[in-house]
Amino acid sequence: MKSSDRPKFGNLQNLKVLNAGAVIAAPFVCELFAEQGADVIELESTVAPDMYRMYGDAWSVDRRNQRMITLNIPSPEGKEILLQMVKWADVLVESSKGGTWEKWGLTDEVLWEANPALVILHISGFGNWGDPDYVRKASFDPIGQAFSGYSNLNGFPDSPPSVTKPFTGDFMTGLMGAWATLAAVIRARETGEGESIDCCQFEALVRLQGATLSDGINHGIQPMRIGNEDLVGACAGAQKCKDGYCQVAVGGAGPVKKLVEFFGFADDPDFQPLGTYPSVTRKPGCKSLDEPLPDRAAKFRAALDSWCEKHTVEEVNRIFGQMGVAVSPHMTYEMMLNDPHYQAREVFVDCYDEITQKTVKQVNMIPRFKKHPGKIVRGGAKYDADTQDVLEEFGYSEKEIELLYEKGVLRKGE
């Protein structure tokens, strides 16, 4: 695909991006940009295809709208091609262990010599600076969750820490990197001065921990792993029903009052004044979930559990929903496909996948833009799909491109 073949759409149609990342976090940044019309070129390694290709249909989603070329970046010819492309680009996104690009001789300063307004996003597990032993460490999603303390908040008291699925750290790091990159692009277009962003996975997950983190670092409170239990509320959260589970989040004076009345506690002294929350008194960091609940919380919990177990998921969702109580079934993928709200919002769309040559379902683009919506032009492309087209745009002749294939700077697809 040539640049001229790309339709114009979205809010980022004048953004030019080089995707030198792999697997999830960095490419996710670029895919979000491509959905909004950015011209994104992925530079796929000649050593081996991107590992994320093994995930099949997910590749078609998480690389959609991007153009694919192969390139051996650290080779002399590869660096020359990269610097030519950097002159064209607004953004370069890369993912590697800290110090990798510096070792290749591709420091930020070298890249800025080619394009002073370039925004460079470095995504890594532990960052590009800090304790040298950590900077050089390899990382994947579960490593970031462990080092950030995130996994130590998940699981059950007597079980090991639990890594949340799927790829929470990778995708959250990508979201952090995406907003930071666009902030830097705005500034670069105002001043002509580029920026380098050090976005590391464990810090993105540290940032997500809110009040739990604040209590921990200020007051020494390390919360125990509590599984699905609510931190402060007198409910399990995941409520067992006759035919499945509903998630119930009890909060707000109005819904609490209605539930208290619904369960027959309107005249119970423990629930006065009506509308006050039937909270637990166990503090984060308590040793066991077996500690007894206070009378009010215990009564409420027993009534809620008993009622839910006698009703279906549909009944709990409908009846509690009518009261204004926050509730949702724990959805399966089949339920999601058949749900009227999913269907009305077109959360899933059918797209042609050029790799399998079949129509596959994909999650639609989110969030939605009213005036300049995104568009799915193509799914994730085949290995080496656009190398010839892209390098011709950068002035390389057919003979020069063939020679680069022979030298291993480029690599042909199957």
Side-chain angles (χ1 to χ4, degrees):
M1 178 184 286
K2 293 184 180 293
S3 181
S4 57
D5 297 330
R6 298 177 58 258
K8 294 291 185 182
F9 62 91
N11 291 282
L12 298 178
Q13 57 187 271
N14 295 317
L15 187 69
K16 300 184 288 292
V17 180
L18 296 176
N19 174 11
V23 195
I24 296 177
F28 184 53
V29 175
C30 300
E31 188 248 318
L32 293 175
F33 294 166
E35 288 180 356
Q36 270 292 302
D39 189 353
V40 179
I41 301 173
E42 176 160 348
L43 315 177
E44 202 167 353
S45 173
T46 58
V47 176
D50 191 325
M51 189 169 70
Y52 200 62
R53 286 186 178 275
M54 73 174 68
Y55 288 96
D57 291 344
W59 174 268
S60 189
V61 180
D62 291 327
R63 296 301 188 280
R64 59 190 174 199
N65 292 2
Q66 300 186 43
R67 300 195 282 160
M68 299 284 167
I69 77 166
T70 59
L71 187 64
N72 183 351
I73 293 175
S75 69
E77 298 92 339
K79 284 192 276 192
E80 180 183 329
I81 292 170
L82 177 79
L83 292 173
Q84 282 290 100
M85 301 181 83
V86 160
K87 295 175 184 177
W88 163 87
D90 300 301
V91 172
L92 168 68
V93 180
E94 69 89 10
S95 60
S96 60
K97 285 190 288 188
T100 299
W101 279 54
E102 184 176 0
K103 182 176 67 177
W104 291 347
L106 292 168
T107 63
D108 292 341
E109 289 68 29
V110 168
L111 297 172
W112 284 328
E113 285 178 15
N115 181 355
L118 183 71
V119 172
I120 307 161
L121 174 64
H122 297 287
I123 288 186
S124 62
F126 292 92
N128 275 273
W129 54 272
D131 185 312
D133 289 338
Y134 278 100
V135 169
R136 291 189 291 266
K137 281 171 68 76
S139 183
F140 287 102
D141 178 272
I143 304 303
Q145 292 198 39
F147 190 65
S148 68
Y150 195 82
S151 58
N152 212 12
L153 304 175
N154 292 283
F156 292 88
D158 299 323
S159 299
S162 179
V163 172
T164 62
K165 307 291 185 180
F167 309 118
T168 305
D170 282 330
F171 283 111
M172 288 309 306
T173 304
L175 289 172
M176 291 284 192
W179 87 257
T181 299
L182 291 182
V185 167
I186 292 171
R187 178 69 174 170
R189 289 185 171 178
E190 291 172 345
T191 65
E193 181 182 13
E195 179 61 272
S196 176
I197 302 162
D198 191 13
C199 182
C200 65
Q201 187 180 69
F202 87 88
E203 288 179 339
L205 288 167
V206 170
R207 182 63 183 85
L208 293 180
Q209 294 174 35
T212 304
L213 178 75
S214 296
D215 286 342
I217 61 178
N218 288 293
H219 307 296
I221 300 171
Q222 178 65 44
M224 66 175 183
R225 295 186 291 278
I226 58 173
N228 294 327
E229 292 283 330
D230 194 295
L231 277 171
V232 295
C235 60
Q239 295 291 151
K240 189 177 187 308
C241 306
K242 285 175 67 174
D243 58 350
Y245 287 87
C246 265
Q247 187 73 18
V248 179
V250 182
V256 169
K257 180 176 181 291
K258 288 181 181 178
L259 278 177
V260 167
E261 292 171 339
F262 182 76
F263 291 134
F265 298 129
D267 298 322
D268 189 319
D270 285 335
F271 289 86
Q272 305 306 316
L274 287 180
T276 54
Y277 195 59
S279 61
V280 304
T281 58
R282 293 182 303 214
K283 301 295 184 184
C286 65
K287 300 298 183 184
S288 173
L289 287 180
D290 296 329
E291 292 182 12
L293 292 167
D295 289 344
R296 178 170 69 164
K299 290 177 183 178
F300 184 87
R301 172 71 173 268
L304 177 64
D305 291 351
S306 176
W307 190 86
C308 288
E309 288 174 5
K310 295 173 183 174
H311 293 80
T312 66
V313 168
E314 187 279 329
E315 289 170 334
V316 174
N317 186 48
R318 173 171 47 82
I319 294 170
F320 280 6
Q322 289 170 350
M323 290 188 214
V325 175
V327 59
S328 172
H330 279 273
M331 304 288 277
T332 64
Y333 291 142
E334 182 180 3
M335 291 165 68
M336 290 156 63
L337 284 169
N338 295 313
D339 185 83
H341 193 55
Y342 272 79
Q343 292 174 350
R345 288 186 60 84
E346 297 181 337
V347 176
F348 301 118
V349 292
D350 291 330
C351 297
Y352 177 75
D353 176 37
E354 65 182 53
I355 296 176
T356 61
Q357 298 183 337
K358 295 179 180 178
T359 297
V360 296
K361 290 191 181 299
Q362 299 184 358
V363 63
N364 210 336
M365 297 164 291
I366 57 170
R368 315 301 177 88
F369 292 78
K370 187 172 184 178
K371 289 187 176 181
H372 304 287
K375 183 181 291 186
I376 299 174
V377 178
R378 69 194 298 200
K382 296 178 181 179
Y383 189 71
D384 187 45
D386 305 301
T387 306
Q388 186 91 18
D389 285 343
V390 170
L391 290 191
E392 285 178 0
E393 289 178 9
F394 283 89
Y396 289 85
S397 68
E398 189 173 336
K399 186 175 181 180
E400 289 172 320
I401 293 171
E402 193 57 42
L403 182 60
L404 289 167
Y405 276 119
E406 291 174 8
K407 296 177 81 170
V409 178
L410 311 175
R411 178 179 167 184
K412 289 186 181 292
E414 298 298 330

